[in-house]
Amino acid sequence: MAQPEYLRIAADLRRRIAPGGEYGPGDRIPTLPELCEHYGVSEITVRNALRLLTNEGLVESRARAGTIVRARPAVHRLPADRYRSTPGAKSTPYTRDQGIGWTEYRLDKRFERVQADAELAALFECEVGERLLARHFVFYDNDEPTQMSVSYVRWSDVAGTPVADPINEPWPGGTKAQMASLGIRVTAVTESFSANMPTELEAATLRIGSGVPVLRYTRKHIADTGRVVEVAHPIVRRGDTTIVDFRIELDD
């Protein structure tokens, strides 16, 4: 079966705006009539091709400026040791992931008290209905949203403490340091990863096209007693610019 024309045009435009291609970030690509003439197709065919590239986050339309090539976001690696503490450093695992300083980091936050549903109860290994504090976060790198999450902690652990007050976020050292301030020693972190297409909310919050995949993962902070003290479910990042690194030690 022959490839639809709009897919062929999208593939050619994708090649022309790739790194080292004809058009760079911020450049205006040819107008709709110019593209119709160049490819010898109808306006609707070109519009379908541009819509596909827009959904992929490669181009955007601007009033009076036409269709512009979007800046290519940097690729960030998530190292396996990012949750380890750096004594005296004003940082969190997120700032280390992004390679940014404290002044370049901004956090939108919203706290609410909830009860554990069946899914959260399974993650916390607690009873359904246990009271939790849900902390909704959007993480910014120099005003660019790159991560969003909902982090849950047990209300019995944090009630009446600075950890329960959003004014104290962001907290240097992140969740591990928060738990330490409560006398809880975190000794393990687990993560489970999946990938999918973004929801409408995720695409809008992270400012990505609906065709850009996202990486979703669930994280658990576990105390030295074996008790789960925090669950982030989910953490969401754009998937096309996130690399997760693992190091696995093997016995001889």
Side-chain angles (χ1 to χ4, degrees), residues 2-88:
Q3 184 183 47
E5 281 294 293
Y6 81 94
L7 291 180
R8 178 184 65 83
I9 294 168
D12 186 60
L13 289 172
R14 198 180 290 114
R15 175 187 59 80
R16 295 167 72 182
I17 63 179
E22 185 177 348
Y23 302 105
D27 288 347
R28 183 179 66 83
I29 67 173
T31 64
L32 195 62
E34 290 170 337
L35 290 173
C36 290
E37 181 177 357
H38 176 79
Y39 291 110
V41 296
S42 67
E43 182 176 303
I44 188 63
T45 300
V46 172
R47 287 188 184 278
N48 286 337
L50 293 178
R51 185 177 299 111
L52 180 60
L53 297 181
T54 299
N55 288 341
E56 292 174 2
L58 298 177
V59 300
E60 61 182 339
S61 296
R62 297 181 185 173
R64 297 185 297 277
T67 302
I68 305 298
V69 179
R70 294 190 65 179
R72 299 178 182 89
V75 173
H76 290 284
R77 311 186 77 95
L78 307 187
D81 64 352
R82 64 189 182 279
Y83 291 106
R84 290 180 177 168
S85 302
T86 304

Coordinates of all heavy atoms in Angstrom, one line a residue, residues 2-88:
A2 N 0.5 2.2 -0.9 CA 1.3 3.4 -1.0 C 1.2 4.3 0.3 O 0.1 4.3 0.9 CB 0.9 4.2 -2.2
Q3 N 2.3 4.9 0.7 CA 2.2 5.8 1.9 C 1.4 7.0 1.6 O 1.5 7.6 0.6 CB 3.7 6.2 2.3 CG 3.8 7.0 3.5 CD 5.2 7.4 3.8 OE1 5.9 7.9 2.9 NE2 5.6 7.2 5.0
P4 N 0.5 7.4 2.6 CA -0.3 8.6 2.4 C 0.6 9.8 2.1 O 1.7 9.9 2.7 CB -1.0 8.8 3.7 CG -1.1 7.4 4.2 CD 0.2 6.7 3.8
E5 N 0.2 10.7 1.3 CA 1.0 11.9 0.9 C 1.4 12.7 2.1 O 2.5 13.2 2.2 CB 0.2 12.8 -0.1 CG 0.3 12.2 -1.5 CD 1.7 12.3 -2.1 OE1 2.2 13.4 -2.3 OE2 2.3 11.2 -2.3
Y6 N 0.5 12.9 3.1 CA 0.8 13.8 4.2 C 2.0 13.2 5.0 O 2.8 13.9 5.6 CB -0.4 14.1 5.0 CG -0.8 13.0 6.0 CD1 -0.4 13.1 7.4 CD2 -1.6 11.9 5.7 CE1 -0.7 12.1 8.3 CE2 -2.0 11.0 6.6 CZ -1.5 11.1 7.9 OH -1.9 10.1 8.8
L7 N 2.0 11.8 5.1 CA 3.1 11.2 5.9 C 4.4 11.4 5.1 O 5.5 11.6 5.7 CB 2.8 9.7 6.1 CG 1.7 9.4 7.0 CD1 1.5 7.8 7.1 CD2 2.0 9.9 8.4
R8 N 4.4 11.3 3.8 CA 5.6 11.5 3.0 C 6.1 12.9 3.2 O 7.3 13.2 3.4 CB 5.3 11.2 1.5 CG 6.6 11.5 0.6 CD 6.2 11.3 -0.9 NE 5.2 12.2 -1.3 CZ 5.6 13.5 -1.7 NH1 6.8 13.9 -1.7 NH2 4.6 14.3 -2.2
I9 N 5.2 13.9 3.2 CA 5.6 15.3 3.3 C 6.1 15.5 4.8 O 7.1 16.2 5.0 CB 4.4 16.2 3.0 CG1 4.0 16.1 1.5 CG2 4.7 17.7 3.4 CD1 2.7 16.7 1.2
A10 N 5.5 15.0 5.7 CA 5.9 15.1 7.1 C 7.3 14.6 7.3 O 8.2 15.1 8.0 CB 4.9 14.4 8.1
A11 N 7.6 13.4 6.7 CA 8.9 12.8 6.8 C 10.0 13.7 6.1 O 11.1 13.8 6.7 CB 8.9 11.4 6.1
D12 N 9.6 14.3 5.0 CA 10.6 15.2 4.3 C 10.8 16.4 5.2 O 12.0 16.9 5.3 CB 10.1 15.6 2.9 CG 11.1 16.3 2.2 OD1 12.2 15.8 1.9 OD2 10.9 17.5 1.8
L13 N 9.8 17.0 5.7 CA 10.0 18.2 6.6 C 10.7 17.9 7.8 O 11.5 18.7 8.3 CB 8.6 18.8 6.9 CG 7.9 19.5 5.7 CD1 6.4 19.9 6.2 CD2 8.6 20.8 5.3
R14 N 10.5 16.7 8.4 CA 11.2 16.3 9.6 C 12.7 16.2 9.3 O 13.5 16.6 10.1 CB 10.6 14.9 10.0 CG 10.9 14.5 11.5 CD 10.4 13.2 11.8 NE 8.9 13.2 11.9 CZ 8.1 12.5 11.1 NH1 8.6 11.8 10.1 NH2 6.8 12.6 11.2
R15 N 13.0 15.7 8.1 CA 14.4 15.6 7.7 C 15.0 17.0 7.6 O 16.2 17.3 8.0 CB 14.6 14.8 6.4 CG 16.0 14.8 5.8 CD 16.0 14.2 4.4 NE 15.1 14.9 3.5 CZ 15.5 16.0 2.9 NH1 16.7 16.5 3.1 NH2 14.6 16.6 2.0
R16 N 14.2 17.9 7.0 CA 14.7 19.3 6.8 C 14.9 20.1 8.0 O 15.6 21.1 8.0 CB 13.8 20.0 5.8 CG 13.8 19.4 4.4 CD 12.6 19.9 3.6 NE 12.8 21.2 3.1 CZ 11.9 21.9 2.4 NH1 10.8 21.3 2.1 NH2 12.2 23.2 2.0
I17 N 14.2 19.7 9.1 CA 14.3 20.5 10.4 C 15.1 19.7 11.4 O 15.3 20.2 12.6 CB 13.0 20.9 11.0 CG1 12.2 19.6 11.4 CG2 12.2 21.7 10.0 CD1 10.8 19.9 12.0
A18 N 15.7 18.5 11.0 CA 16.5 17.8 12.0 C 17.8 18.5 12.2 O 18.2 19.4 11.4 CB 16.8 16.4 11.4
P19 N 18.6 18.2 13.3 CA 19.9 18.9 13.5 C 20.7 18.8 12.3 O 20.9 17.7 11.7 CB 20.4 18.1 14.7 CG 19.2 17.6 15.4 CD 18.2 17.3 14.4
G20 N 21.3 19.9 11.9 CA 22.1 19.9 10.7 C 21.3 20.1 9.4 O 21.9 20.1 8.3
G21 N 20.0 20.2 9.5 CA 19.2 20.3 8.3 C 19.1 21.7 7.8 O 19.7 22.6 8.2
E22 N 18.1 21.9 6.9 CA 17.9 23.1 6.2 C 17.4 24.2 7.2 O 17.7 25.4 7.0 CB 16.9 22.9 5.1 CG 16.7 24.1 4.2 CD 15.7 23.7 3.1 OE1 15.5 22.5 2.9 OE2 15.2 24.6 2.4
Y23 N 16.6 23.9 8.1 CA 15.9 24.8 9.0 C 16.3 24.5 10.5 O 16.3 23.4 10.9 CB 14.4 24.8 8.9 CG 13.9 25.1 7.5 CD1 13.4 24.1 6.7 CD2 13.9 26.4 7.0 CE1 13.0 24.3 5.4 CE2 13.5 26.7 5.7 CZ 13.0 25.6 4.9 OH 12.6 25.9 3.7
G24 N 16.7 25.6 11.2 CA 17.1 25.4 12.6 C 16.1 26.0 13.5 O 15.1 26.6 13.1
P25 N 16.3 25.8 14.9 CA 15.3 26.3 15.8 C 15.0 27.8 15.7 O 16.0 28.6 15.5 CB 16.0 26.0 17.2 CG 16.9 24.9 16.9 CD 17.4 25.1 15.5
G26 N 13.8 28.2 15.6 CA 13.4 29.6 15.4 C 13.2 30.0 14.0 O 12.6 31.1 13.7
D27 N 13.6 29.1 13.1 CA 13.4 29.5 11.6 C 12.0 29.2 11.2 O 11.3 28.4 11.7 CB 14.3 28.6 10.8 CG 15.8 29.0 10.9 OD1 16.1 30.0 11.4 OD2 16.6 28.2 10.4
R28 N 11.5 30.1 10.3 CA 10.2 29.9 9.7 C 10.3 29.0 8.5 O 11.1 29.2 7.6 CB 9.6 31.3 9.3 CG 8.2 31.2 8.8 CD 7.6 32.5 8.4 NE 8.3 33.1 7.3 CZ 8.1 32.8 6.0 NH1 7.1 32.0 5.7 NH2 8.8 33.4 5.1
I29 N 9.4 28.0 8.5 CA 9.4 27.1 7.3 C 8.5 27.8 6.3 O 7.8 28.7 6.6 CB 8.9 25.7 7.7 CG1 7.5 25.7 8.1 CG2 9.8 25.1 8.8 CD1 6.9 24.3 8.3
P30 N 8.6 27.3 5.0 CA 7.8 27.9 4.0 C 6.3 28.0 4.3 O 5.8 27.2 5.1 CB 8.0 27.0 2.8 CG 9.4 26.4 3.0 CD 9.5 26.2 4.5
T31 N 5.6 28.9 3.7 CA 4.2 29.1 4.0 C 3.4 28.0 3.4 O 3.9 27.2 2.6 CB 3.7 30.5 3.3 OG1 3.8 30.3 1.9 CG2 4.5 31.6 3.9
L32 N 2.1 28.0 3.7 CA 1.2 26.9 3.3 C 1.2 26.9 1.7 O 1.3 25.8 1.1 CB -0.2 27.1 3.9 CG -1.2 25.9 3.8 CD1 -0.6 24.7 4.5 CD2 -2.5 26.4 4.4
P33 N 0.9 28.0 1.1 CA 0.9 28.0 -0.4 C 2.2 27.6 -1.0 O 2.3 26.8 -2.0 CB 0.6 29.5 -0.8 CG -0.1 30.0 0.4 CD 0.5 29.4 1.6
E34 N 3.3 28.0 -0.4 CA 4.7 27.6 -0.9 C 4.9 26.1 -0.7 O 5.4 25.4 -1.7 CB 5.8 28.3 -0.1 CG 5.8 29.8 -0.5 CD 6.8 30.6 0.5 OE1 7.0 30.1 1.6 OE2 7.2 31.6 0.0
L35 N 4.4 25.5 0.4 CA 4.5 24.0 0.5 C 3.6 23.3 -0.4 O 4.0 22.2 -1.0 CB 4.2 23.7 2.0 CG 5.2 24.1 3.0 CD1 4.7 23.8 4.5 CD2 6.6 23.4 2.8
C36 N 2.4 23.8 -0.6 CA 1.5 23.2 -1.6 C 2.2 23.1 -3.0 O 2.1 22.1 -3.7 CB 0.2 23.9 -1.6 SG -0.8 23.7 -0.2
E37 N 2.8 24.2 -3.4 CA 3.4 24.3 -4.7 C 4.6 23.4 -4.8 O 4.8 22.7 -5.8 CB 3.8 25.7 -5.0 CG 4.4 25.9 -6.4 CD 4.8 27.3 -6.7 OE1 4.5 28.2 -5.9 OE2 5.4 27.5 -7.8
H38 N 5.4 23.4 -3.7 CA 6.6 22.6 -3.7 C 6.3 21.1 -3.8 O 7.0 20.4 -4.5 CB 7.4 22.9 -2.4 CG 8.7 22.0 -2.2 ND1 9.8 22.3 -2.9 CD2 8.9 20.9 -1.5 CE1 10.8 21.4 -2.6 NE2 10.2 20.5 -1.7
Y39 N 5.3 20.6 -3.0 CA 5.0 19.2 -3.0 C 4.0 18.8 -4.0 O 3.7 17.6 -4.2 CB 4.6 18.8 -1.6 CG 5.7 18.8 -0.6 CD1 5.7 19.8 0.4 CD2 6.8 17.9 -0.6 CE1 6.8 19.9 1.3 CE2 7.8 18.0 0.3 CZ 7.8 18.9 1.3 OH 8.8 19.0 2.2
G40 N 3.3 19.8 -4.6 CA 2.3 19.5 -5.6 C 1.1 18.8 -5.0 O 0.5 17.8 -5.6
V41 N 0.6 19.3 -3.9 CA -0.5 18.6 -3.2 C -1.5 19.7 -2.8 O -1.2 20.9 -2.9 CB 0.0 17.8 -2.0 CG1 0.8 16.6 -2.4 CG2 0.7 18.7 -1.0
S42 N -2.6 19.3 -2.2 CA -3.6 20.2 -1.8 C -3.3 20.8 -0.4 O -2.4 20.3 0.3 CB -5.0 19.5 -1.7 OG -4.9 18.5 -0.6
E43 N -4.0 21.9 -0.1 CA -3.8 22.5 1.2 C -4.1 21.6 2.4 O -3.4 21.6 3.4 CB -4.6 23.8 1.3 CG -4.5 24.6 2.6 CD -5.3 25.9 2.6 OE1 -5.1 26.7 1.6 OE2 -6.1 26.0 3.5
I44 N -5.1 20.8 2.3 CA -5.5 19.9 3.4 C -4.4 18.9 3.7 O -4.1 18.5 4.8 CB -6.9 19.2 3.1 CG1 -7.3 18.5 4.4 CG2 -6.8 18.3 1.9 CD1 -7.6 19.3 5.5
T45 N -3.7 18.4 2.6 CA -2.6 17.4 2.8 C -1.5 18.1 3.5 O -0.9 17.4 4.4 CB -2.2 16.9 1.4 OG1 -3.3 16.3 0.7 CG2 -1.0 15.9 1.5
V46 N -1.1 19.3 3.2 CA 0.0 20.0 3.9 C -0.4 20.3 5.3 O 0.4 20.1 6.2 CB 0.3 21.3 3.1 CG1 1.3 22.1 4.0 CG2 0.9 21.0 1.8
R47 N -1.7 20.7 5.5 CA -2.1 20.9 6.9 C -2.0 19.7 7.8 O -1.6 19.7 8.9 CB -3.6 21.4 6.9 CG -3.7 22.9 6.4 CD -5.1 23.4 6.6 NE -5.3 24.7 6.1 CZ -5.0 25.8 6.7 NH1 -4.4 25.7 7.9 NH2 -5.2 27.0 6.2
N48 N -2.4 18.5 7.2 CA -2.3 17.3 7.9 C -0.8 16.9 8.3 O -0.5 16.5 9.4 CB -2.9 16.1 7.1 CG -4.4 16.2 7.1 OD1 -5.0 16.7 8.0 ND2 -5.0 15.5 6.1
A49 N 0.1 17.2 7.4 CA 1.5 17.0 7.6 C 2.0 17.9 8.8 O 2.7 17.5 9.7 CB 2.3 17.2 6.4
L50 N 1.6 19.2 8.7 CA 2.0 20.1 9.7 C 1.4 19.8 11.1 O 2.1 20.0 12.1 CB 1.7 21.6 9.3 CG 2.4 22.1 8.1 CD1 1.9 23.5 7.7 CD2 3.9 22.1 8.3
R51 N 0.2 19.3 11.1 CA -0.5 19.0 12.3 C 0.3 17.8 13.0 O 0.5 17.8 14.2 CB -1.9 18.6 12.1 CG -2.7 18.3 13.3 CD -4.2 17.9 13.1 NE -4.8 19.1 12.4 CZ -5.3 19.1 11.2 NH1 -5.1 18.0 10.4 NH2 -5.9 20.1 10.6
L52 N 0.8 16.9 12.2 CA 1.5 15.8 12.7 C 2.8 16.3 13.4 O 3.2 15.8 14.5 CB 1.8 14.8 11.6 CG 2.6 13.5 12.0 CD1 1.9 12.7 13.0 CD2 2.9 12.7 10.7
L53 N 3.5 17.2 12.7 CA 4.8 17.7 13.2 C 4.5 18.5 14.5 O 5.4 18.6 15.4 CB 5.5 18.5 12.2 CG 6.0 17.7 10.9 CD1 6.7 18.7 10.0 CD2 6.8 16.6 11.3
T54 N 3.4 19.2 14.5 CA 3.1 20.0 15.7 C 2.8 19.1 16.9 O 3.3 19.4 18.0 CB 1.8 20.9 15.4 OG1 2.1 21.8 14.3 CG2 1.4 21.7 16.6
N55 N 2.1 18.0 16.6 CA 1.8 17.1 17.7 C 3.1 16.4 18.2 O 3.2 16.0 19.4 CB 0.8 16.0 17.2 CG -0.6 16.5 17.1 OD1 -0.9 17.5 17.6 ND2 -1.4 15.8 16.3
E56 N 4.1 16.3 17.4 CA 5.4 15.7 17.8 C 6.2 16.7 18.5 O 7.3 16.4 19.0 CB 6.1 15.2 16.5 CG 5.4 14.0 15.9 CD 6.1 13.5 14.6 OE1 7.1 14.2 14.2 OE2 5.6 12.6 14.0
G57 N 5.7 18.0 18.5 CA 6.5 19.0 19.2 C 7.7 19.6 18.4 O 8.5 20.3 19.0
L58 N 7.7 19.4 17.1 CA 8.8 19.8 16.3 C 8.6 21.2 15.7 O 9.6 22.0 15.5 CB 9.0 18.9 15.1 CG 9.3 17.4 15.5 CD1 9.4 16.5 14.3 CD2 10.7 17.4 16.3
V59 N 7.3 21.6 15.5 CA 7.0 23.0 15.0 C 5.9 23.6 15.8 O 5.2 22.8 16.5 CB 6.7 23.0 13.5 CG1 7.9 22.4 12.7 CG2 5.4 22.2 13.2
E60 N 5.7 24.9 15.7 CA 4.6 25.5 16.3 C 4.1 26.7 15.4 O 5.0 27.3 14.7 CB 4.9 26.0 17.7 CG 6.1 27.0 17.7 CD 6.4 27.5 19.2 OE1 5.6 27.3 20.1 OE2 7.5 28.0 19.4
S61 N 2.9 27.0 15.5 CA 2.3 28.2 14.7 C 2.3 29.4 15.6 O 1.9 29.3 16.8 CB 0.9 27.8 14.2 OG 1.0 26.7 13.3
R62 N 2.7 30.5 15.1 CA 2.7 31.8 15.8 C 2.0 32.8 14.9 O 2.2 32.9 13.7 CB 4.1 32.3 16.1 CG 4.9 31.4 17.0 CD 6.3 31.9 17.3 NE 7.1 31.0 18.1 CZ 8.4 31.3 18.3 NH1 9.0 32.4 17.8 NH2 9.1 30.4 19.0
A63 N 1.2 33.6 15.6 CA 0.4 34.7 14.9 C 1.4 35.6 14.2 O 2.4 36.0 14.7 CB -0.4 35.4 15.9
R64 N 1.1 35.8 12.9 CA 1.9 36.7 12.1 C 3.3 36.3 11.8 O 4.1 37.0 11.1 CB 1.9 38.2 12.6 CG 0.5 38.8 12.7 CD 0.6 40.3 13.2 NE 1.1 40.3 14.5 CZ 0.4 40.2 15.6 NH1 -0.9 40.0 15.5 NH2 0.9 40.3 16.8
A65 N 3.7 35.1 12.3 CA 5.0 34.6 12.1 C 5.0 33.3 11.3 O 6.1 32.9 10.8 CB 5.7 34.4 13.4
G66 N 3.9 32.7 11.2 CA 3.8 31.4 10.4 C 4.2 30.2 11.3 O 4.1 30.2 12.5
T67 N 4.7 29.2 10.6 CA 5.1 28.0 11.3 C 6.6 28.0 11.6 O 7.4 28.2 10.7 CB 4.7 26.7 10.5 OG1 3.3 26.7 10.2 CG2 5.1 25.5 11.2
I68 N 6.9 27.9 12.9 CA 8.3 28.0 13.3 C 8.8 26.7 13.9 O 8.1 25.9 14.5 CB 8.4 29.1 14.5 CG1 7.8 30.4 14.0 CG2 9.8 29.3 15.0 CD1 8.5 31.0 12.9
V69 N 10.1 26.4 13.6 CA 10.8 25.3 14.1 C 11.0 25.5 15.6 O 11.6 26.5 16.0 CB 12.1 25.0 13.4 CG1 12.8 23.8 14.0 CG2 11.9 24.8 11.9
R70 N 10.6 24.6 16.5 CA 10.7 24.7 17.9 C 12.2 24.4 18.3 O 12.9 23.6 17.7 CB 9.8 23.8 18.7 CG 8.3 24.1 18.5 CD 7.5 23.3 19.4 NE 7.7 23.7 20.8 CZ 7.1 23.1 21.9 NH1 6.2 22.2 21.7 NH2 7.4 23.5 23.1
A71 N 12.6 25.0 19.4 CA 13.9 24.7 19.9 C 13.9 23.3 20.4 O 12.9 22.8 21.0 CB 14.2 25.6 21.1
R72 N 15.0 22.6 20.2 CA 15.1 21.2 20.6 C 15.6 21.1 22.1 O 16.6 21.6 22.5 CB 16.1 20.5 19.8 CG 15.7 20.5 18.3 CD 16.7 19.8 17.4 NE 16.3 19.8 16.0 CZ 16.6 20.8 15.2 NH1 17.3 21.8 15.6 NH2 16.2 20.8 13.9
P73 N 14.7 20.5 23.0 CA 15.1 20.5 24.4 C 16.3 19.6 24.6 O 16.6 18.7 23.8 CB 13.9 19.8 25.0 CG 13.2 19.1 23.9 CD 13.5 19.8 22.7
A74 N 17.1 19.9 25.6 CA 18.2 19.1 26.0 C 17.9 17.7 26.5 O 16.8 17.6 27.1 CB 19.1 19.8 27.0
V75 N 18.7 16.8 26.2 CA 18.5 15.4 26.7 C 19.1 15.4 28.1 O 20.2 15.9 28.4 CB 19.2 14.4 25.8 CG1 19.2 13.0 26.4 CG2 18.6 14.4 24.4
H76 N 18.3 14.8 29.1 CA 18.8 14.7 30.4 C 18.8 13.2 30.8 O 17.9 12.4 30.5 CB 17.8 15.4 31.4 CG 17.9 16.9 31.3 ND1 18.9 17.6 31.8 CD2 17.1 17.8 30.6 CE1 18.8 18.9 31.5 NE2 17.6 19.0 30.8
R77 N 19.9 12.8 31.5 CA 20.1 11.5 32.0 C 19.8 11.4 33.5 O 20.1 12.3 34.2 CB 21.6 11.0 31.8 CG 22.1 11.3 30.4 CD 23.5 10.7 30.2 NE 23.4 9.3 30.0 CZ 23.4 8.7 28.8 NH1 23.4 9.4 27.7 NH2 23.3 7.3 28.7
L78 N 19.1 10.4 33.8 CA 18.7 10.2 35.2 C 19.7 9.1 35.8 O 19.5 7.9 35.5 CB 17.3 9.7 35.4 CG 16.2 10.6 34.7 CD1 14.8 10.1 35.2 CD2 16.4 12.0 35.1
P79 N 20.7 9.5 36.5 CA 21.7 8.5 36.9 C 21.2 7.6 38.1 O 20.3 8.1 38.8 CB 22.9 9.3 37.4 CG 22.3 10.6 37.8 CD 21.1 10.8 36.8
A80 N 21.7 6.4 38.3 CA 21.2 5.5 39.3 C 21.5 6.0 40.7 O 20.8 5.6 41.6 CB 21.9 4.1 39.1
D81 N 22.5 6.9 40.9 CA 22.8 7.4 42.2 C 22.3 8.7 42.6 O 22.7 9.4 43.5 CB 24.4 7.4 42.4 CG 25.0 8.4 41.4 OD1 24.3 9.0 40.5 OD2 26.2 8.6 41.6
R82 N 21.2 9.2 41.9 CA 20.8 10.6 42.0 C 20.1 10.8 43.4 O 19.9 12.0 43.8 CB 19.8 11.0 40.9 CG 18.5 10.2 40.8 CD 17.8 10.6 39.5 NE 16.6 9.9 39.4 CZ 16.4 8.7 38.9 NH1 17.5 7.9 38.6 NH2 15.2 8.2 38.8
Y83 N 19.7 9.8 44.1 CA 19.1 10.0 45.4 C 20.1 10.0 46.5 O 19.7 10.2 47.7 CB 18.0 8.9 45.6 CG 16.8 9.0 44.7 CD1 16.6 8.1 43.6 CD2 15.9 10.0 44.9 CE1 15.6 8.2 42.8 CE2 14.8 10.1 44.0 CZ 14.6 9.3 43.0 OH 13.6 9.4 42.2
R84 N 21.3 9.8 46.3 CA 22.3 9.9 47.3 C 22.5 11.3 47.7 O 22.5 12.2 46.9 CB 23.6 9.2 46.9 CG 23.5 7.7 46.7 CD 24.8 7.1 46.2 NE 24.7 5.7 46.1 CZ 25.6 4.9 45.6 NH1 26.7 5.4 45.0 NH2 25.5 3.6 45.5
S85 N 22.7 11.5 49.0 CA 22.9 12.8 49.6 C 24.2 13.4 49.2 O 25.2 12.7 49.1 CB 22.7 12.8 51.1 OG 21.5 12.3 51.5
T86 N 24.3 14.8 49.1 CA 25.5 15.5 48.9 C 25.6 16.4 50.1 O 24.9 17.5 50.1 CB 25.5 16.3 47.6 OG1 25.3 15.4 46.5 CG2 26.9 17.0 47.4
P87 N 26.4 16.1 51.1 CA 26.4 16.9 52.4 C 26.7 18.4 52.1 O 27.6 18.7 51.3 CB 27.5 16.2 53.2 CG 27.6 14.8 52.7 CD 27.3 14.9 51.2
G88 N 25.9 19.2 52.7 CA 26.1 20.7 52.6 C 25.6 21.3 51.3 O 25.6 22.5 51.1

